Short mmCIF file of all heavy atoms in Angstrom, two decimals:
data_model
loop_
_atom_site.label_atom_id
_atom_site.label_comp_id
_atom_site.label_asym_id
_atom_site.label_seq_id
_atom_site.Cartn_x
_atom_site.Cartn_y
_atom_site.Cartn_z
N ARG A 1282 17.24 18.64 23.29
CA ARG A 1282 18.48 18.16 23.25
C ARG A 1282 18.90 17.48 21.91
O ARG A 1282 19.99 17.73 21.38
CB ARG A 1282 18.66 17.11 24.33
CG ARG A 1282 20.01 16.59 24.56
CD ARG A 1282 20.25 15.69 25.74
NE ARG A 1282 19.34 14.45 25.65
CZ ARG A 1282 18.21 14.09 26.22
NH1 ARG A 1282 17.75 15.07 27.11
NH2 ARG A 1282 17.56 13.15 26.13
N GLU A 1283 17.97 16.63 21.42
CA GLU A 1283 18.21 16.06 20.11
C GLU A 1283 18.30 16.94 19.00
O GLU A 1283 19.18 16.91 18.17
CB GLU A 1283 17.19 14.93 20.00
CG GLU A 1283 17.36 13.77 20.91
CD GLU A 1283 16.08 12.83 20.96
OE1 GLU A 1283 15.30 12.97 19.88
OE2 GLU A 1283 16.03 11.94 21.86
N ALA A 1284 17.37 17.88 18.83
CA ALA A 1284 17.34 18.85 17.67
C ALA A 1284 18.60 19.76 17.80
O ALA A 1284 19.19 19.99 16.65
CB ALA A 1284 16.01 19.59 17.80
N THR A 1285 19.02 20.21 19.00
CA THR A 1285 20.21 21.09 19.13
C THR A 1285 21.41 20.31 18.79
O THR A 1285 22.30 20.83 18.05
CB THR A 1285 20.17 21.72 20.37
OG1 THR A 1285 18.99 22.56 20.69
CG2 THR A 1285 21.39 22.70 20.48
N GLN A 1286 21.54 19.17 19.21
CA GLN A 1286 22.64 18.41 18.94
C GLN A 1286 22.82 18.19 17.43
O GLN A 1286 23.98 18.30 16.86
CB GLN A 1286 22.69 17.03 19.62
CG GLN A 1286 23.81 16.06 19.30
CD GLN A 1286 23.81 14.86 20.06
OE1 GLN A 1286 22.93 14.45 20.81
NE2 GLN A 1286 24.80 13.90 19.97
N LEU A 1287 21.78 17.74 16.66
CA LEU A 1287 21.81 17.67 15.30
C LEU A 1287 22.17 18.82 14.54
O LEU A 1287 22.93 18.91 13.70
CB LEU A 1287 20.53 17.07 14.88
CG LEU A 1287 20.09 15.60 15.09
CD1 LEU A 1287 18.70 15.35 14.67
CD2 LEU A 1287 21.15 14.66 14.48
N ALA A 1288 21.72 20.05 15.06
CA ALA A 1288 21.96 21.24 14.49
C ALA A 1288 23.47 21.58 14.55
O ALA A 1288 24.19 22.14 13.70
CB ALA A 1288 21.03 22.42 14.99
N LEU A 1289 24.01 21.38 15.78
CA LEU A 1289 25.43 21.71 15.99
C LEU A 1289 26.30 20.84 15.27
O LEU A 1289 27.34 21.22 14.67
CB LEU A 1289 25.62 21.61 17.48
CG LEU A 1289 25.06 22.65 18.35
CD1 LEU A 1289 25.28 22.29 19.98
CD2 LEU A 1289 25.47 24.03 18.12
N GLU A 1290 25.95 19.56 15.16
CA GLU A 1290 26.74 18.55 14.39
C GLU A 1290 26.76 18.96 12.83
O GLU A 1290 27.79 18.66 12.34
CB GLU A 1290 26.28 17.31 14.54
CG GLU A 1290 26.60 16.67 16.05
CD GLU A 1290 26.03 15.27 16.30
OE1 GLU A 1290 25.03 14.93 15.65
OE2 GLU A 1290 26.34 14.72 17.19
N ARG A 1291 25.67 19.42 12.40
CA ARG A 1291 25.65 19.84 10.88
C ARG A 1291 26.58 21.03 10.73
O ARG A 1291 27.10 21.23 9.48
CB ARG A 1291 24.15 20.26 10.59
CG ARG A 1291 23.31 19.19 10.35
CD ARG A 1291 22.03 19.60 9.55
NE ARG A 1291 21.29 20.50 10.22
CZ ARG A 1291 20.26 20.07 11.14
NH1 ARG A 1291 19.85 18.95 11.27
NH2 ARG A 1291 19.57 21.20 11.66
N ASP A 1292 26.80 21.85 11.83
CA ASP A 1292 27.65 23.02 11.76
C ASP A 1292 29.17 22.57 11.94
O ASP A 1292 29.97 23.38 12.09
CB ASP A 1292 27.26 24.19 12.58
CG ASP A 1292 26.30 24.97 11.96
OD1 ASP A 1292 26.71 25.93 11.19
OD2 ASP A 1292 24.92 24.79 12.17
N GLY A 1293 29.45 21.33 12.16
CA GLY A 1293 30.84 20.88 12.21
C GLY A 1293 31.27 20.57 13.77
O GLY A 1293 32.47 20.30 13.94
N PHE A 1294 30.43 20.77 14.65
CA PHE A 1294 30.84 20.57 16.13
C PHE A 1294 30.64 19.12 16.50
O PHE A 1294 29.72 18.42 15.99
CB PHE A 1294 29.98 21.39 17.00
CG PHE A 1294 30.11 22.85 16.84
CD1 PHE A 1294 29.19 23.58 16.15
CD2 PHE A 1294 31.23 23.57 17.46
CE1 PHE A 1294 29.25 24.93 15.98
CE2 PHE A 1294 31.38 24.88 17.41
CZ PHE A 1294 30.40 25.53 16.53
N ALA A 1295 31.65 18.66 17.34
CA ALA A 1295 31.39 17.30 17.98
C ALA A 1295 30.60 17.42 19.21
O ALA A 1295 31.01 18.32 20.10
CB ALA A 1295 32.70 16.69 18.13
N VAL A 1296 29.50 16.81 19.36
CA VAL A 1296 28.70 17.08 20.53
C VAL A 1296 28.48 15.79 21.43
O VAL A 1296 28.25 14.82 20.98
CB VAL A 1296 27.28 17.64 20.00
CG1 VAL A 1296 26.34 17.91 21.22
CG2 VAL A 1296 27.41 18.81 19.02
N THR A 1297 28.72 16.11 22.70
CA THR A 1297 28.25 15.13 23.80
C THR A 1297 27.05 15.74 24.49
O THR A 1297 27.09 16.76 25.08
CB THR A 1297 29.41 14.82 24.71
OG1 THR A 1297 30.56 14.36 24.17
CG2 THR A 1297 28.98 13.89 25.87
N ALA A 1298 25.86 15.05 24.42
CA ALA A 1298 24.61 15.52 24.97
C ALA A 1298 24.32 14.65 26.23
O ALA A 1298 24.27 13.45 26.09
CB ALA A 1298 23.54 15.49 23.95
N MET A 1299 24.05 15.40 27.23
CA MET A 1299 23.71 14.65 28.45
C MET A 1299 22.31 15.25 29.00
O MET A 1299 22.05 16.44 28.81
CB MET A 1299 24.75 14.96 29.59
CG MET A 1299 26.11 14.19 29.19
SD MET A 1299 25.75 12.32 29.24
CE MET A 1299 27.38 11.82 28.69
N PRO A 1300 21.51 14.43 29.70
CA PRO A 1300 20.07 14.74 30.07
C PRO A 1300 19.99 15.39 31.45
O PRO A 1300 18.98 15.80 31.85
CB PRO A 1300 19.35 13.39 30.11
CG PRO A 1300 20.48 12.43 30.49
CD PRO A 1300 21.81 12.87 29.92
N ASP A 1301 21.03 15.42 32.31
CA ASP A 1301 20.99 15.88 33.68
C ASP A 1301 22.35 16.36 34.18
O ASP A 1301 23.35 16.23 33.48
CB ASP A 1301 20.50 14.88 34.63
CG ASP A 1301 21.30 13.71 34.65
OD1 ASP A 1301 22.30 13.71 35.39
OD2 ASP A 1301 20.95 12.70 34.08
N GLY A 1302 22.31 17.27 35.31
CA GLY A 1302 23.49 17.74 35.61
C GLY A 1302 24.56 16.95 36.21
O GLY A 1302 25.72 17.09 35.84
N LEU A 1303 24.25 15.77 36.79
CA LEU A 1303 25.25 14.89 37.34
C LEU A 1303 25.95 14.10 36.21
O LEU A 1303 27.21 14.05 36.30
CB LEU A 1303 24.53 13.82 38.33
CG LEU A 1303 24.12 14.53 39.65
CD1 LEU A 1303 23.33 13.42 40.38
CD2 LEU A 1303 25.29 14.92 40.46
N SER A 1304 25.27 13.64 35.18
CA SER A 1304 25.94 13.02 34.13
C SER A 1304 26.79 14.05 33.29
O SER A 1304 27.68 13.82 32.69
CB SER A 1304 24.86 12.42 33.31
OG SER A 1304 23.95 13.21 32.59
N GLY A 1305 26.18 15.19 33.27
CA GLY A 1305 26.93 16.37 32.57
C GLY A 1305 28.27 16.58 33.21
O GLY A 1305 29.34 16.82 32.60
N LEU A 1306 28.27 16.67 34.51
CA LEU A 1306 29.50 16.83 35.27
C LEU A 1306 30.49 15.63 35.18
O LEU A 1306 31.69 16.00 34.94
CB LEU A 1306 29.21 17.03 36.87
CG LEU A 1306 30.39 17.27 37.69
CD1 LEU A 1306 31.17 18.42 37.38
CD2 LEU A 1306 29.99 17.33 39.17
N GLU A 1307 30.00 14.47 35.19
CA GLU A 1307 30.87 13.34 34.94
C GLU A 1307 31.48 13.33 33.47
O GLU A 1307 32.61 13.11 33.32
CB GLU A 1307 30.08 12.07 34.99
CG GLU A 1307 30.80 10.70 34.98
CD GLU A 1307 29.94 9.50 35.08
OE1 GLU A 1307 28.80 9.64 35.65
OE2 GLU A 1307 30.42 8.32 34.79
N SER A 1308 30.62 13.77 32.48
CA SER A 1308 31.16 13.80 31.18
C SER A 1308 32.17 14.95 31.01
O SER A 1308 33.17 14.74 30.36
CB SER A 1308 30.00 14.13 30.24
OG SER A 1308 30.49 14.23 28.85
N PHE A 1309 31.96 16.12 31.74
CA PHE A 1309 32.86 17.21 31.67
C PHE A 1309 34.28 16.70 32.23
O PHE A 1309 35.27 17.00 31.53
CB PHE A 1309 32.36 18.41 32.37
CG PHE A 1309 33.37 19.50 32.39
CD1 PHE A 1309 33.52 20.27 31.43
CD2 PHE A 1309 34.29 19.59 33.53
CE1 PHE A 1309 34.63 21.36 31.52
CE2 PHE A 1309 35.29 20.59 33.70
CZ PHE A 1309 35.34 21.36 32.54
N ARG A 1310 34.25 15.93 33.26
CA ARG A 1310 35.46 15.66 33.99
C ARG A 1310 36.17 14.52 33.19
O ARG A 1310 37.43 14.50 33.07
CB ARG A 1310 35.19 15.05 35.37
CG ARG A 1310 34.85 16.30 36.26
CD ARG A 1310 34.36 15.68 37.71
NE ARG A 1310 34.28 16.82 38.66
CZ ARG A 1310 33.65 16.67 39.83
NH1 ARG A 1310 33.23 15.59 40.25
NH2 ARG A 1310 33.47 17.78 40.61
N ALA A 1311 35.40 13.72 32.42
CA ALA A 1311 36.03 12.77 31.65
C ALA A 1311 36.57 13.12 30.42
O ALA A 1311 37.66 12.68 29.87
CB ALA A 1311 35.06 11.54 31.44
N ASP A 1312 35.80 13.96 29.62
CA ASP A 1312 36.14 14.33 28.28
C ASP A 1312 36.79 15.80 28.06
O ASP A 1312 37.43 16.03 27.07
CB ASP A 1312 34.81 14.37 27.54
CG ASP A 1312 34.26 13.01 27.45
OD1 ASP A 1312 34.96 12.00 27.60
OD2 ASP A 1312 32.89 12.88 27.36
N ARG A 1313 36.63 16.63 29.10
CA ARG A 1313 37.25 18.04 29.03
C ARG A 1313 36.97 18.64 27.73
O ARG A 1313 37.80 18.98 26.76
CB ARG A 1313 38.73 17.95 29.24
CG ARG A 1313 39.26 17.55 30.60
CD ARG A 1313 38.79 18.53 31.58
NE ARG A 1313 38.93 18.08 33.06
CZ ARG A 1313 38.83 18.91 34.13
NH1 ARG A 1313 38.38 20.17 33.89
NH2 ARG A 1313 38.96 18.45 35.31
N PRO A 1314 35.71 19.00 27.44
CA PRO A 1314 35.23 19.55 26.17
C PRO A 1314 35.84 21.03 26.00
O PRO A 1314 36.38 21.58 26.93
CB PRO A 1314 33.76 19.74 26.37
CG PRO A 1314 33.55 19.81 27.77
CD PRO A 1314 34.62 18.96 28.37
N ASP A 1315 35.70 21.68 24.81
CA ASP A 1315 36.06 22.82 24.52
C ASP A 1315 35.17 23.99 24.91
O ASP A 1315 35.46 25.13 25.17
CB ASP A 1315 36.30 22.96 23.02
CG ASP A 1315 37.31 22.02 22.48
OD1 ASP A 1315 38.51 22.07 22.97
OD2 ASP A 1315 36.98 21.34 21.54
N ILE A 1316 33.90 23.62 25.05
CA ILE A 1316 32.85 24.56 25.41
C ILE A 1316 31.71 23.78 26.09
O ILE A 1316 31.36 22.61 25.68
CB ILE A 1316 32.42 25.43 24.36
CG1 ILE A 1316 31.44 26.57 24.96
CG2 ILE A 1316 31.70 24.65 23.33
CD1 ILE A 1316 31.21 27.69 23.91
N ALA A 1317 31.03 24.47 27.10
CA ALA A 1317 29.82 23.79 27.67
C ALA A 1317 28.71 24.64 27.53
O ALA A 1317 28.68 25.82 27.73
CB ALA A 1317 30.13 23.47 29.28
N LEU A 1318 27.59 24.07 27.15
CA LEU A 1318 26.15 24.64 27.11
C LEU A 1318 25.34 23.98 28.18
O LEU A 1318 25.19 22.82 28.13
CB LEU A 1318 25.54 24.47 25.65
CG LEU A 1318 26.31 24.77 24.37
CD1 LEU A 1318 25.42 24.55 23.12
CD2 LEU A 1318 26.69 26.28 24.36
N LEU A 1319 24.85 24.76 29.11
CA LEU A 1319 24.24 24.24 30.15
C LEU A 1319 22.91 24.91 30.38
O LEU A 1319 22.70 26.15 30.38
CB LEU A 1319 25.02 24.43 31.52
CG LEU A 1319 26.45 24.27 31.50
CD1 LEU A 1319 27.07 24.54 32.90
CD2 LEU A 1319 26.63 22.72 31.21
N ASP A 1320 21.74 24.05 30.39
CA ASP A 1320 20.52 24.56 30.62
C ASP A 1320 20.40 24.90 32.11
O ASP A 1320 20.99 24.29 32.95
CB ASP A 1320 19.42 23.38 30.33
CG ASP A 1320 17.90 23.98 30.43
OD1 ASP A 1320 17.79 25.14 30.27
OD2 ASP A 1320 17.06 23.21 30.95
N VAL A 1321 19.64 25.88 32.43
CA VAL A 1321 19.63 26.44 33.84
C VAL A 1321 18.80 25.34 34.62
O VAL A 1321 19.30 24.91 35.80
CB VAL A 1321 19.03 27.70 34.01
CG1 VAL A 1321 18.68 28.07 35.47
CG2 VAL A 1321 19.80 28.89 33.39
N MET A 1322 17.68 24.98 34.26
CA MET A 1322 16.82 23.98 34.95
C MET A 1322 17.20 22.62 34.60
O MET A 1322 16.85 22.14 33.57
CB MET A 1322 15.34 24.35 34.58
CG MET A 1322 14.97 25.72 35.09
SD MET A 1322 15.12 26.18 36.78
CE MET A 1322 13.88 25.11 37.60
N LEU A 1323 17.90 21.89 35.48
CA LEU A 1323 18.38 20.56 35.09
C LEU A 1323 17.97 19.75 36.39
O LEU A 1323 18.07 20.06 37.63
CB LEU A 1323 19.84 20.36 34.93
CG LEU A 1323 20.31 20.97 33.68
CD1 LEU A 1323 21.84 21.04 33.75
CD2 LEU A 1323 19.84 20.25 32.35
N PRO A 1324 17.58 18.50 36.15
CA PRO A 1324 17.31 17.48 37.38
C PRO A 1324 18.71 17.01 37.97
O PRO A 1324 19.73 16.99 37.35
CB PRO A 1324 16.58 16.41 36.69
CG PRO A 1324 17.15 16.37 35.24
CD PRO A 1324 17.33 17.71 34.94
N GLY A 1325 18.62 16.73 39.29
CA GLY A 1325 19.85 16.27 39.86
C GLY A 1325 20.69 17.34 40.38
O GLY A 1325 20.95 17.53 41.63
N LEU A 1326 21.22 17.98 39.52
CA LEU A 1326 22.23 19.05 39.71
C LEU A 1326 21.82 20.14 38.78
O LEU A 1326 22.01 20.02 37.49
CB LEU A 1326 23.81 18.62 39.59
CG LEU A 1326 24.84 19.65 39.81
CD1 LEU A 1326 24.84 19.91 41.27
CD2 LEU A 1326 26.21 19.10 39.29
#
């Protein structure tokens, strides 16, 4: 998560990184990002 976030930010993306599915869903609903990258195996959801 941390390495990929740094790599994407170096390429000019603004990144919101979340550690689990439930926080990811909450962040999506609050921020409405332009694109979502989702790991298949996530805790919670």
Side-chain angles (χ1 to χ4, degrees):
R1282 187 175 64 254
E1283 292 170 9
T1285 303
Q1286 179 175 2
L1287 288 173
L1289 292 176
E1290 289 175 343
R1291 282 197 299 268
D1292 273 279
F1294 296 98
V1296 181
T1297 298
M1299 291 296 173
D1301 59 76
L1303 291 174
S1304 65
L1306 179 60
E1307 182 179 349
S1308 176
F1309 175 82
R1310 289 173 171 170
D1312 301 332
R1313 294 294 171 173
D1315 299 304
I1316 186 169
L1318 306 182
L1319 312 178
D1320 186 31
V1321 170
M1322 302 299 293
L1323 291 171
L1326 183 69

